[in-house]
Structure formats: C-alpha cells, structure tokens
Amino acid sequence: MKKRLLFLLAAMLLCRGLGYGQKLTEKHIREVMQQAYNQFKNSSGGANASYIPYLANIDPELYGIAICTSDGKVLELGDTKYEFGIESISKVFVLALAMQQRGAKAVEDSIGVNATGMPFNSVMAVELNPQRAVNPLVNAGAMATNSFIRAPGSAAKWALIDDMMAKFASRRLSVIQQLYASETATNLHNRAIAWLLYSYGRFYDDISESVDLYTRACSYGSSTRDLAIMAGTLANSGVNPVTKEKVIDAVLCPRILATMITEGLYDDTGAWVYHTGVPAKSGVGGGIIAVVPGKMAIAVFAPPLDKSGNSIKAQKTLQYIIDELKLNLLLPHG
Ligand code: GLN
C-alpha cells in the first residue's frame, strides 16, 4: 500500500516537472532549446533585410536562442551575446514608455490598437481606417507613439527612451551608429507616413525630431540575451526578473501583449497566433521575442527574413519550443 502511494507521488512529481500546465524544470527547458537548435541550425531560406544597407551585410548564419524565466534565470544557446539591430522590437518598449506616461486609454484613443493586417510600412493602413488609427507596433503607429511621449525637447525624450530601454534590459544599450546612419539615409518612406498622419491630426510632436527618435530607437544594438530579459519583464508583470526592479505598472502588460497578438508579426500575425497562441514581436534585424505571461520569455535571433519581414529560423525555433513546452496560451488553463 505504502509502495503504491510512493509510486503515485513520484508519478505526480514527474508530471509537474514535465510541465503539463505546471512548473517546468530548467533541465527540460534546456533540452528543448538544444533540440530546436540542432534541428534548425543549418536550415536555410529567406534573406537579410536589404532596404537598410547595414542589415544586408550581417552574417546570415548567426543564430541565438535565449530564455528568461519569470524567476530570473537566463538560459542561452548559440550567438546570444552578438549585438544586432533591435529594429521594430524597440516599438514594444517605446509603447511601454508612452503607456506608462500617458495611460493605456490615451494610447488607444490617440494612436489606435487594432490590427491592420497589412505590411509594417503600409500607407493604406492609415488611409483605410476612418479614424486614421494604427497599431503602435507598425511604423506609422510607432512614430506616432514616439510623438505622443511628453518631454521638454528631443534630447529629454531620448533620455526617457534610453532609461526605459536600460530598465527593461538591465543594462544600458547603445545605438549602432552605422545602422542609424544607414537607416537615416534611407527612411524617406517613413517620413512620408509621418507627414500623412500629421495631415490627419494624428501626430503629436515635431515630425522630423520624432521620426529621428524612432529611427534611433530602431538602431539600438541588442543581444538575444538582452531581448529575452526585456521580454521577460513583460512576462513578469512589469518587474525585471533579473534586477527585480519595477519597470512599468502590471496593468499595462496585458495591453502591450495584446498589441503583439494583433500586430507582432505584421501581415503574418494571424497565422503566427494560429500556430502558437503566444504574443510575439519581430524586427527586420532578425530578432523575435515571444512572451508567455507568468512563465518566461523566449528570444531568438537569425537574420534571414520571410516576405513579411520576420526571421524564418526564429519563427521555426519559437514554434518548436512553444509546442514542446506546451506554452500555447489558448490551451486549457490549470
Ligand atoms: N526601422 C525599420 C523601419 O522603419 C523597422 C522595421 C521592422 O523592423 N519591421 O522600416
């Protein structure tokens, strides 16, 4: 009788460890990371972003996976220390700053929070919506969000952005100057979008300064490790799991994650959510972050992109890890 009880107890503990809606073990997470790495390391397909010359020249073989658990463990595999262009992933954290400063409702009213279903630099997304509302995670919405942050001048606004990024990452990030120069020389389309929003009364500060701040934020260098910790802060209700510092109010996290669910992978977001059930955000630098609230965040970096501008290898890796660890948020809870 005693033996049977012990057996039952051992079986229960094993199931908990395997993460059937319960706590995942570090060993299991590491095994799954390694399996994904082995499986996709040599997979090919896609191409580096070429419309920003600096990005076209990044080694397409670079590959890193990092996971930050809500209790602050950072697990890494591959090129996780290499610093690459954060690009559109910065939009999530500038949005966090705007929401913290102006409130979630003000962002909803003044920028918009709905899905566009269109490419990240779409003009039609602005034209077709009668309120000219755009999601803060597409270029139009991100530049408008930048303009929505209040500060006594451009330098002061940059200081706010820089501090916010540092709190999320647990270290101060630096702008890759060559990337910033490369983007500034080629961002005419973004400038046109900003003027269009301005013509509809949906831009809230100096146009060229706001576009410049947006471009500079996209040009931050971040490692896969940095991104895992930054996203880990969103998974941990706004408290950085490594430094334990409160970065933003907990109530804002579900709102930010909702914009990732609707727009994180642009015109491919529907298919992404269909397959994974997890909010994610990509950047044309090759990074993608995925956030599983209360559990962990996963960041993957691999430069070659698909047509929507999302890293192909990072998507495959994330999908594998999410499946194996049963992280899909649309699975039954409990
Ligand atoms: N800086 C890039 C742009 O404005 C960001 C795009 C992206 O990562 N999807 O086009």
Side-chain angles (χ1 to χ4, degrees):
M1 191 64 187
K2 244 188 185 167
K3 255 190 188 164
R4 274 174 80 174
L5 260 172
L6 273 174
F7 178 76
L8 215 80
L9 205 70
M12 275 167 67
L13 281 173
L14 198 71
C15 278
R16 275 179 73 89
L18 288 176
Y20 290 98
Q22 301 284 337
K23 219 171 142 38
L24 295 159
T25 63
E26 184 181 325
K27 180 169 173 282
H28 186 47
I29 298 173
R30 280 193 194 279
E31 278 165 9
V32 170
M33 283 170 82
Q34 188 68 56
Q35 286 160 12
Y37 187 86
N38 296 346
Q39 185 161 334
F40 302 117
K41 173 89 182 88
N42 298 316
S43 70
S44 55
N48 288 21
S50 57
Y51 75 105
I52 299 171
Y54 175 92
L55 297 178
N57 297 321
I58 302 296
D59 178 359
E61 301 291 322
L62 287 164
Y63 183 35
I65 309 175
I67 289 184
C68 177
T69 61
S70 290
D71 56 1
K73 285 200 187 78
V74 185
L75 317 178
E76 300 176 55
L77 197 55
D79 304 309
T80 53
K81 303 284 192 297
Y82 179 86
E83 289 180 29
F84 55 91
I86 191 169
E87 295 298 343
S88 280
I89 301 173
S90 65
K91 291 167 176 160
V92 174
F93 305 101
V94 175
L95 169 63
L97 171 60
M99 276 195 183
Q100 183 67 34
Q101 193 190 59
R102 309 285 315 257
K105 175 81 168 71
V107 168
E108 180 179 1
D109 293 343
S110 302
I111 315 291
V113 292
N114 223 331
T116 71
M118 294 193 197
F120 62 81
N121 57 0
S122 172
V123 171
M124 290 312 290
V126 180
E127 290 294 352
L128 291 176
N129 186 307
Q131 281 86 42
R132 315 299 163 199
V134 271
N135 191 292
L137 301 190
V138 298
N139 290 12
M143 290 185 287
T145 302
N146 221 304
S147 77
F148 197 54
I149 295 165
R150 281 198 181 122
S154 180
K157 199 185 280 192
W158 180 252
L160 290 177
I161 294 172
D162 205 46
D163 285 349
M164 188 53 101
M165 299 300 270
K167 282 186 193 164
F168 268 107
S170 32
R171 74 175 184 103
R172 204 153 280 279
L173 301 181
S174 334
V175 167
I176 303 173
Q177 291 301 330
Q178 257 181 299
L179 174 58
Y180 176 41
S182 187
E183 291 213 30
T184 303
T186 52
N187 68 355
L188 294 175
H189 187 84
N190 281 344
R191 290 187 230 178
I193 293 174
W195 275 101
L196 183 65
L197 281 172
Y198 179 71
S199 77
Y200 289 127
R202 301 285 287 186
F203 213 80
Y204 308 99
D205 203 350
D206 183 273
I207 297 179
S208 43
E209 280 180 12
S210 302
V211 175
D212 177 56
L213 288 177
Y214 161 85
T215 307
R216 223 188 298 172
C218 286
S219 306
Y220 270 118
S222 62
S223 66
T224 316
R225 177 190 162 84
D226 292 328
L227 290 182
I229 298 172
M230 294 174 86
T233 304
L234 293 173
N236 196 35
S237 303
V239 175
N240 183 314
V242 173
T243 62
K244 313 292 179 207
E245 183 187 2
K246 182 189 156 186
V247 182
I248 54 166
D249 295 338
V251 290
L252 301 177
C253 289
R255 301 273 181 261
I256 295 167
L257 296 178
T259 65
M260 290 165 66
I261 288 188
T262 50
E263 202 61 68
L265 273 76
Y266 309 113
D267 41 332
D268 217 23
T269 309
W272 167 262
V273 174
Y274 183 86
H275 287 291
T276 62
V278 169
K281 181 75 202 85
S282 67
V284 290
I288 304 186
I289 55 170
V291 179
V292 186
K295 284 199 174 137
M296 67 178 76
I298 315 168
V300 184
F301 164 60
L305 311 176
D306 64 15
K307 284 197 184 70
S308 300
N310 305 315
S311 164
I312 293 181
K313 210 183 274 188
Q315 287 181 77
K316 285 184 185 162
T317 305
L318 286 165
Q319 252 182 55
Y320 182 90
I321 295 173
I322 289 165
D323 274 355
E324 288 298 313
L325 298 181
K326 299 184 171 54
L327 300 174
N328 186 325
L329 298 173
L330 305 178
L331 288 169
H333 276 44

